[in-house]
Each structure stands twice: as C-alpha cells, then as structure tokens.
Amino acid sequence: MPCFFYPALYTKASMCCIIKYQDNQEQEIVIMKATKVFTMIDDIVKKIQKSDDVTQEDGEKMIGQLTELADIYREVEVHEDQMAVYDALRQKGEWLKSQFSSKKSSDRIKKEINRYIRLLRASLADFRGETGVLLRFHRMFVILSLALLMLSPGMYGPVMSVLLVIPVFGALRGIRDRRMNGIYLSGLIVPLALVTGINWLRAGAGLFSILGAATSVFALVMIYMIYKVKDMFV
C-alpha cells in the first residue's frame, strides 16, 4: 500500500466543474462535489434506523457521527487527483450497505460501521490537502525511536532494547499505512521515550544526559502530534 493513500479504482466523474488558470500554459483541474459520499452516508443512516442488528444506544451514537460527517462532506470538493480516495469511500459504503442484509452479527455490523466512520474522518485530510503532517509525524517518530533505542540499553539493559525493536517497527508500519495500531503503538512508545529521557537527565551522565533532555522535549512534541493526527488513521 502506498504511504498515506487509500487504494481504489480510478474512475472519471460526471457533473464536474472545470477550472482553468494561466501558469505558462493553460491547465485544467477537475473539481466535483462529494455527492455520492454524503448520499451514501444518508443511506447508511437509514439502514441503521431500520436494522435490528444495532442497539438503540449504539445506533444513536453512530447516527450522530454519520450525520455530522454528512454535513461536512456536503461542503467537500473533490479534485481529479483525489478520485481514488473518493472511489474508495464510495465502494466501501456500498459494501457496508450490503452487510445489513447478510445475517452478520450485531458486533460485526457495529465494528464495520465504526470503521467506515473512521475512514470518512481520515479521508477529510486527503480532500483538504492536510496529509503533509503525516509525513512529518512519520519522520519525527523515526528520530524519536532511534533516540529511545540508543538510550534504553544503559537504562533497561540490552534485552529490553532488543524487545523494543518489535513495537517500534510495528508502529512505523502502522503509521505508514495509516492504521490505528500505528497510533496505539506510538502512544506506548512515546511516553516510554519521555520517561527514559527524563531518567537520563536526572542521572546527569554527560552526553547521554543531553540526549535524554532532547528526547524528553521531542517526546512532548510527539504527544501533541499524536493528538493532532489521530483522526487521520483508520
């Protein structure tokens, strides 16, 4: 899977608005409203309202989230280079609608609806051109992880340092693929890096103390970054 991208079949959109601008040569940008997406959301809301597989409490919560997202998507403009994301949302929505009539368990239906809600939220970053922050987050996490792996042997021993490699690589892969496990794992590793940096700072061990101070500050920035990008993950 390419970084920070939802794969889907590319299709041409109908009812497009063509915008032309002059920059050495005339170019065209195709823009359309996300009509099929917010219509899909409305259809899913109706499915939930009629379904016996979703409890009233869960249904009301999910309907509230979907209704809010439908209102947001009514204002979304889809550029030609965002059609893959748009089609992925439409296809996933069509598939989700079919699950209401396939005798799925209530827990499974609830899980799939919540996953679609996360996908809708995450895709807003693509349509708004905000995915650049994900690349910065990924690079910053790499730097913080390297600092943690350098500091941990002297604090926790070599065995612990080797074991840390597993969740670090899991987090890096999750961040690359915009999976929630990337956020969950980074949410474990970043506080550990913060504590490790503070402990080295208290130890006052020369160069490692300086690196510990820098790691602590970097970890605090990363905690803010996790909060900022969490809705961009599925």
Side-chain angles (χ1 to χ4, degrees), residues 144 147-152 155-156 189-220:
L144 184 67
L148 174 61
L149 293 174
M150 289 176 61
L151 293 172
S152 57
M155 189 64 62
Y156 309 117
I189 293 167
V190 171
L192 178 60
L194 175 62
V195 172
T196 303
I198 291 173
N199 287 338
W200 272 113
L201 183 60
R202 288 175 175 175
L207 181 62
F208 280 97
S209 177
I210 297 172
L211 181 57
T215 301
S216 300
V217 173
F218 210 70
L220 290 172

Side-chain angles (χ1 to χ4, degrees), residues 41-56 58-60 62-64 66-67 100 109 113:
I41 296 173
D42 291 338
D43 290 342
I44 292 171
V45 167
K46 293 174 184 176
K47 289 279 188 181
I48 296 173
Q49 291 171 334
K50 296 178 181 178
S51 176
D52 296 327
D53 297 325
V54 181
T55 64
Q56 181 177 355
D58 290 337
E60 289 176 353
M62 290 185 290
I63 287 172
L66 287 167
T67 301
F100 285 91
I109 289 291
I113 295 171

Side-chain angles (χ1 to χ4, degrees), residues 10-112:
Y10 181 92
T11 57
K12 275 289 184 180
S14 58
M15 299 178 65
C16 297
C17 171
I18 308 296
I19 296 180
K20 297 183 179 180
Y21 63 93
Q22 192 70 30
D23 182 14
N24 296 328
Q25 60 181 359
E26 191 177 75
Q27 301 183 38
E28 292 185 351
I29 301 176
V30 180
I31 300 179
M32 60 177 285
K33 287 291 187 180
T35 307
K36 292 182 180 179
V37 173
F38 64 73
T39 301
M40 185 72 63
I41 296 173
D42 291 338
D43 290 342
I44 292 171
V45 167
K46 293 174 184 176
K47 289 279 188 181
I48 296 173
Q49 291 171 334
K50 296 178 181 178
S51 176
D52 296 327
D53 297 325
V54 181
T55 64
Q56 181 177 355
E57 182 179 356
D58 290 337
E60 289 176 353
K61 181 180 179 180
M62 290 185 290
I63 287 172
Q65 292 175 321
L66 287 167
T67 301
E68 177 187 356
L69 285 165
D71 291 339
I72 294 173
Y73 270 93
R74 282 181 171 83
E75 304 301 322
V76 167
E77 291 183 340
V78 183
H79 292 246
E80 187 174 12
D81 60 354
Q82 298 165 341
M83 284 302 300
V85 180
Y86 180 76
D87 286 338
L89 287 176
R90 181 181 56 80
Q91 292 171 10
K92 179 66 175 178
E94 290 287 358
W95 178 85
L96 179 58
K97 283 168 59 178
S98 69
Q99 300 305 294
F100 285 91
S101 57
S102 59
K103 304 296 182 182
K104 296 287 185 181
S105 67
S106 58
D107 289 340
R108 182 62 182 273
I109 289 291
K110 178 182 174 182
K111 180 181 178 180
E112 295 298 343

